[in-house]
Amino acid sequence: MLRFDPFNDLDALTRGLLTSQTGSTRTPRFMPMDLCKIDDHYVLTADLPGVDPGSVDVNVDNGTLTISAHRTARSEDSVQWFANERFFGNYRRQLSLGEGIDTSAISATYENGVLTVTIPLAERAKPRKIDIAHGGGQKSIEPTTVDAG
């Protein structure tokens, strides 16, 4: 559900005029991501534009997948900001993994500001066909027709 606040922009402008800070101290609010299932694995994609690839960390601990990253703020003191809307600081997102995940085979890539994490299903969790054993001495039952008339 989206909430509309007509005074939000006015409040932001007022805060900007009343504070003497240069730049912004805003920290990221969220890490947008998509999660889907393809065949026998899940694919998580997260947008992390402008994040240093060396700061991206993906780890699994006790059934929780944690993604963290950091985008550094500009440190130029002589900058006069006219618009400063990009967030900087630490990003963090956690997901609980189910029992059927092969945590030892999780892999990740970071390319063009997008983190892609591949989360495979464990062999025991993959769908499989169950063979039905047939008894050797069973009689086959033939379908019978019933005369309704």
Side-chain angles (χ1 to χ4, degrees):
M1 173 187 294
L2 296 176
R3 293 175 53 185
F4 175 69
D5 182 3
F7 300 105
N8 190 32
D9 289 337
L10 183 59
D11 288 344
L13 178 63
T14 303
R15 279 192 304 275
L17 293 173
L18 295 177
T19 61
S20 61
Q21 296 176 340
T22 58
S24 172
T25 58
R26 294 175 300 134
T27 57
R29 294 183 190 170
F30 63 94
M31 178 188 306
M33 67 167 222
D34 293 332
L35 180 64
C36 64
K37 184 177 179 191
I38 301 172
D39 299 326
D40 61 351
H41 61 279
Y42 295 95
V43 176
L44 179 147
T45 51
D47 290 342
L48 295 169
V51 168
D52 175 25
S55 76
V56 178
D57 184 45
V58 178
N59 66 60
V60 177
D61 184 27
N62 201 21
T64 301
L65 176 74
T66 302
I67 301 170
S68 57
H70 180 81
R71 181 165 51 195
T72 307
R74 292 186 135 192
S75 60
E76 300 150 5
D77 293 333
S78 62
V79 173
Q80 181 181 2
W81 293 101
F82 296 105
N84 188 15
E85 299 174 349
R86 296 175 62 219
F87 291 107
F88 61 87
N90 294 317
Y91 292 81
R92 183 179 172 121
R93 192 81 186 249
Q94 291 187 310
L95 294 149
S96 294
L97 301 176
E99 294 290 320
I101 300 297
D102 184 358
T103 57
S104 65
I106 293 175
S107 62
T109 59
Y110 180 68
E111 186 175 346
N112 296 326
V114 178
L115 175 69
T116 302
V117 181
T118 303
I119 307 166
L121 289 173
E123 280 298 321
R124 70 185 192 301
K126 291 180 183 176
R128 67 185 197 288
K129 181 171 174 44
I130 308 292
D131 290 329
I132 300 172
H134 298 281
Q138 291 183 344
K139 292 182 181 179
S140 62
I141 301 172
E142 297 291 328
T144 58
T145 57
V146 177
D147 188 12

